Amino acid sequence: MDRRRFLGMSAGAMGAACFGTAVAEGQEGRRETTSLASPVSTISADRASVQETPRRTPVAADVDVLVVGGGPTGVGAALAAAGEGARTLVLERHGMLGGMWTAGLLNPLFESRKGWIVERLVDRLRQTKAWQDHPKFPVFDVEMMKYTLEQMLAEANVDFWYHVQATDPVVVDHRVRGVIVEGKTGREAVLAGTIVDCTGDGDIAARAGVPFRFGREFDGLAQPMTLMFEVTGAEKIATGTQNILEILKTAIAEHNLPIELPYGKHPRGTPYSIPVPEHGAAAIQATHVYRYDATDTRDVTHATVEARKQVHEIFVPAMRKVPGLENLRLSQTAPSIGIRESRHFEGHYTLDADDVIAGRRFDDAVTSCAFGCDIHEIYPDDTHARRIPAKPFEIPYRCLLPKSIKGLLFAGRCISGTHEAHASYRVTGTCMAMGQ
């Protein structure tokens, strides 16, 4: 194709796009036009809002159970529902299942001894040598996790869609009947008998009007976010999960590096090196970014950029000054930043610190939790952050059931609980068990 013909065709396509049409070239060079016209909207005089015209949205699927979010919680919920014979669909915004396990590069898999679906997943990973057992820090291969989860859902006849964003619930007579989704196909609706919000932040529950609190009770601040990253050439620290704070401090001091670690004087729960199944490779949990709102698009963007900057300008340079890590290589940062805390929804029961301290049991328990109260400082040298003593406790079904609306459940870290209780049950093994 010569330059003149290319420019002519480009101009034609641009002109068509301006009038809400798409121009395609047919089998024999014929040009076919398909309308992409949108409903007419109006922009306010001050350009502060857009008034959208009501429109009819096609229903793309009608199922028994719709799971929004294909992370650990959503996978557990979907497999459990399908196991009971329900027609089940999972909506996932990434191009993979697994959520923080895969898009977040999050290892270890804490609370993995949960039985049922969690145990089945671990067994499958073990069979493919994608699992390394450990009493406290079992780890897995991220790529095999992606594949294994897809295989498990396919075998259970669970349908799942990638690259879709569930934007709004369809609420009729105080009952959630479905959700509106946006994706490459356009705007569509999915109807369901029951919707399970496994988005982590509870996006569907929030937009359905379920009351919630954000972060800790007295100031509304949430735990910091962390962007995981993986390195190779890390044989020195790939022998076992370990806290690397002191070796980083030593390297920085001995080499007079102009680097300041993003923590207070006594950081909690970080930084850690976590060996993964590949030889000499490790996942690093180190970055901390503070005072960001996980439910705000711009905040999550800024948090991600800041955390990735920490990887490149703080942690990798400091790690390369540690004896034995001179050839360390950054292989990847996680596609998605890790969110520890955001919304806590109002359910029929709210788990609190007293429940965790007492190791409380419930008649309607859906799972148990034996993980400690893992509260990272809300900001460096936060004097209010406190870790409570924890005994193994149970999570009642009522924590997953909203008071204010029907047809909806929420599962995962957004269930009905306080800041302190949430710091224990937010880990991925427990979240998957809530879903199942």
Side-chain angles (χ1 to χ4, degrees):
M1 180 184 295
D2 61 31
R3 181 172 180 272
R4 179 171 296 179
R5 186 180 174 210
F6 171 77
L7 291 174
M9 290 180 64
S10 299
M14 290 175 63
C18 291
F19 291 97
T21 60
V23 178
E25 192 165 341
Q27 289 180 334
E28 298 179 356
R30 294 173 307 174
R31 298 164 70 77
E32 300 169 354
T33 303
T34 304
S35 174
L36 295 177
S38 324
V40 176
S41 302
T42 57
I43 303 172
S44 64
D46 60 0
R47 301 182 68 81
S49 65
V50 173
Q51 178 66 49
E52 297 181 81
T53 303
R55 53 183 167 175
R56 188 178 298 273
T57 302
V59 173
D62 192 343
V63 296
D64 298 321
V65 176
L66 174 63
V67 179
V68 185
T73 314
V75 168
L79 289 173
E84 295 297 316
R87 293 173 299 120
T88 306
L89 170 64
V90 178
L91 304 177
E92 171 52 46
R93 64 191 178 97
H94 292 108
M96 66 196 86
L97 297 166
M100 290 314 302
W101 284 335
T102 53
L105 300 181
L106 182 60
N107 260 304
L109 201 166
F110 288 123
E111 291 282 279
S112 61
R113 293 176 173 86
K114 291 292 185 183
W116 198 17
I117 294 170
V118 182
E119 184 175 337
R120 283 165 48 196
L121 171 61
V122 171
D123 285 345
R124 293 282 289 262
L125 293 170
R126 189 179 283 120
Q127 290 167 18
T128 58
K129 303 187 185 307
W131 177 264
Q132 287 183 355
D133 217 342
H134 188 277
K136 291 181 65 178
F137 306 112
V139 296
F140 56 87
D141 179 89
V142 170
E143 191 59 37
M144 281 305 299
M145 175 69 86
K146 297 175 192 176
Y147 177 68
T148 301
L149 293 177
E150 289 177 343
Q151 294 299 107
M152 291 178 72
L153 263 65
E155 290 164 9
N157 293 317
V158 175
D159 196 7
F160 53 94
W161 299 350
Y162 286 155
H163 306 296
V164 292
Q165 187 74 42
T167 58
D168 286 293
V170 177
V171 182
V172 181
D173 297 329
H174 303 290
R175 185 180 187 90
V176 181
R177 305 282 185 175
V179 300
I180 301 297
V181 300
E182 295 274 4
K184 285 293 186 180
T185 312
R187 181 180 174 88
E188 299 175 301
V190 177
L191 303 182
T194 300
I195 291 85
V196 189
D197 187 335
C198 299
T199 60
D201 298 315
D203 295 329
I204 298 303
R207 291 165 189 167
V210 179
F212 63 86
R213 290 174 292 96
F214 192 96
R216 62 185 177 188
E217 288 73 19
F218 72 90
D219 63 4
L221 295 177
Q223 291 197 53
M225 302 179 194
T226 289
L227 185 73
M228 296 288 292
F229 62 99
E230 290 187 351
V231 295
T232 56
E235 287 82 0
K236 177 181 173 65
I237 57 173
T239 55
T241 296
Q242 57 184 291
N243 190 299
I244 57 173
L245 179 62
E246 292 307 317
I247 65 172
L248 290 179
K249 282 183 174 180
T250 300
I252 291 169
E254 289 183 349
H255 293 272
N256 296 314
L257 300 178
I259 288 175
E260 183 176 347
L261 297 174
Y263 317 125
K265 295 176 183 177
H266 305 289
R268 300 180 179 186
T270 200
Y272 268 87
S273 168
I274 303 124
V276 294
E278 180 185 350
H279 177 70
I284 309 297
Q285 183 193 111
T287 66
H288 266 46
V289 290
Y290 307 93
R291 296 178 181 271
Y292 286 111
D293 180 350
T295 65
D296 182 280
T297 301
R298 284 154 288 280
D299 261 21
V300 176
T301 300
H302 295 318
T304 302
V305 172
E306 181 181 337
R308 187 169 288 117
K309 184 177 181 181
Q310 289 182 7
V311 174
H312 285 270
E313 299 185 12
I314 296 178
F315 291 105
V316 170
M319 292 177 74
R320 284 178 177 156
K321 295 300 182 181
V322 174
L325 297 182
E326 294 86 355
N327 296 320
L328 179 135
R329 176 181 174 271
L330 173 65
S331 50
Q332 63 174 324
T333 55
S336 186
I337 195 167
I339 309 298
R340 288 187 174 86
E341 182 179 21
S342 57
R343 300 181 179 110
H344 305 287
F345 285 93
E346 181 185 89
H348 283 264
Y349 185 85
T350 300
L351 271 173
D352 61 20
D354 291 340
D355 295 321
V356 176
I357 294 169
R360 194 148 290 150
R361 302 289 187 263
F362 299 93
D363 291 338
D364 61 337
V366 296
T367 190
S368 61
C369 179
F371 198 73
C373 177
D374 185 21
I375 297 180
H376 293 232
E377 293 175 307
I378 304 299
Y379 48 84
D381 296 320
D382 173 21
T383 59
H384 299 288
R386 71 184 187 107
R387 290 185 176 183
I388 58 175
K391 294 180 180 178
F393 62 95
E394 293 180 337
I395 299 172
Y397 175 71
R398 287 166 290 162
C399 289
L400 285 64
L401 187 65
K403 284 183 180 180
S404 55
I405 202 161
K406 296 179 180 179
L408 177 71
L409 296 169
F410 34 70
R413 60 179 170 81
C414 66
I415 65 168
S416 184
T418 64
H419 172 72
E420 289 88 357
H422 155 274
S424 179
Y425 61 66
R426 65 179 173 81
V427 294
T428 56
T430 302
C431 286
M432 188 178 200
M434 283 188 225
Q436 73 181 16

